[in-house]
Amino acid sequence: MTPDTLPGERQQTILRLLREQGRVFSAQLAVQMAVSEDSIRRDLRDLASQGLCRKVHGGALPAAPSFPPLPARHAQQAAQKHALAVAAAAQVRPGECLLLDAGSTNSAIAACLPVQQGLHVITNAPDIALALLARGGIEVSLIGGRLDARAGACIGAQALEAVGGLRADLCFIGTCAVDADAGLWAIDGEEAPFKRALLAASNRCVAVATNDKLGTQAAYRVGGLEQIDLLVIEHDAPDAQVQAFQQRGVDILRAAQH
């Protein structure tokens, strides 16, 4: 990289490094590209203003994935989510009580749960409850509350109170963003406390994340990585991301290639 490299070329390199490494640091980029840190900071501001990264102190993280309404998310990355769901559902033991959070990936998990094994699934997502009822062989309980159109789930005070009286063997928490340093994140201010309650009400927790959610942060922090027992990721998740999570003691399960 030469000193007269155009900003657009630098920015493309920064985005490539973000995809490969999961985060970049201004000081390291300045040395690598033989430009000033001020130039790098301007590049990061430009990328952040376009929604291509998330600027943080000392560098940048990948931009958090976008979250259109739930019906649209069902159609996105369907093959990847199915592969993740198969791996996640294999963690379920006969006779367990499950807390199944809302989300398109968790809907895929519901479709992969074994039937006729004495499972009891408690969920705040009407689509998950109806899908499980149609399958049969699984006891289903629906958490009530204010139904949020974007999340496709019941959230708010009533839902939060209901979770406070529960105890589950296993929770599949909806993962909006997950970072090796900063933990689990949600994009909605009412979803975050609900997810914290799910973690507190469960003996074990599994988080499932597509590649675009790894190394990202959102608006509302849910909790640290020590609160999850397993992170299920895609078969081709970037090695740098996997190593970052493993260095923090997170158990990792790669899904099969879809």
Side-chain angles (χ1 to χ4, degrees):
M1 192 70 63
T2 61
D4 59 351
T5 301
L6 295 173
E9 295 174 353
R10 286 201 309 266
Q11 291 175 9
Q12 289 301 317
T13 300
I14 290 169
L15 290 175
R16 176 177 59 79
L17 292 171
L18 270 174
R19 288 192 297 269
E20 294 174 355
Q21 301 175 8
R23 64 186 57 220
V24 293
F25 298 94
S26 301
Q28 293 177 357
L29 290 172
V31 172
Q32 180 177 346
M33 300 183 184
V35 297
S36 68
E37 284 193 52
D38 283 341
S39 295
I40 295 298
R41 283 192 285 267
R42 283 195 295 271
D43 287 338
L44 295 179
R45 283 197 296 271
D46 288 345
L47 291 170
S49 70
Q50 299 173 60
L52 298 175
C53 77
R54 181 183 177 91
K55 196 174 184 304
V56 295
H57 180 71
L61 296 169
S66 61
F67 283 86
L70 184 61
R73 299 204 304 276
H74 279 308
Q76 296 175 340
Q77 306 181 77
Q80 293 95 319
K81 291 173 183 177
H82 175 73
L84 290 167
V86 170
Q91 307 308 306
V92 176
R93 302 163 186 165
E96 285 194 317
C97 177
L98 313 178
L99 280 170
L100 192 50
D101 196 8
S104 57
T105 303
N106 279 3
S107 294
I109 293 173
C112 293
L113 290 176
V115 297
Q116 308 302 337
Q117 291 196 9
L119 298 181
H120 178 196
V121 175
I122 304 172
T123 182
N124 65 324
D127 70 308
I128 289 176
L130 290 171
L132 289 173
L133 281 177
R135 293 186 65 201
I138 298 175
E139 182 180 352
V140 182
S141 296
L142 180 62
I143 294 172
R146 183 180 66 82
L147 186 57
D148 182 83
R150 183 204 53 77
C154 295
I155 55 177
Q158 183 179 341
L160 194 61
E161 182 179 2
V163 176
L166 300 174
R167 192 72 208 167
D169 299 298
L170 175 61
C171 166
F172 290 106
I173 191 164
T175 308
C176 300
V178 58
D179 179 68
D181 290 327
L184 298 162
W185 295 78
I187 62 169
D188 183 273
E190 286 189 293
E191 282 187 297
F194 182 82
K195 293 177 187 297
R196 293 188 201 108
L198 293 179
L199 290 170
S202 306
N203 294 332
R204 301 173 3 251
C205 179
V206 174
V208 184
T210 48
N211 288 346
D212 57 338
K213 296 179 181 179
L214 299 177
T216 66
Q217 299 177 24
Y220 301 91
R221 190 171 187 270
V222 175
L225 294 178
E226 70 278 1
Q227 294 180 271
I228 65 172
D229 296 277
L230 181 67
L231 177 62
V232 183
I233 59 175
E234 293 188 56
H235 73 95
D236 59 350
D239 289 337
Q241 286 289 342
V242 176
Q243 291 168 8
F245 285 110
Q246 289 176 329
Q247 287 171 2
R248 285 153 181 81
V250 179
D251 287 336
I252 298 288
L253 174 63
R254 286 185 185 266
Q257 186 170 356
H258 53 81

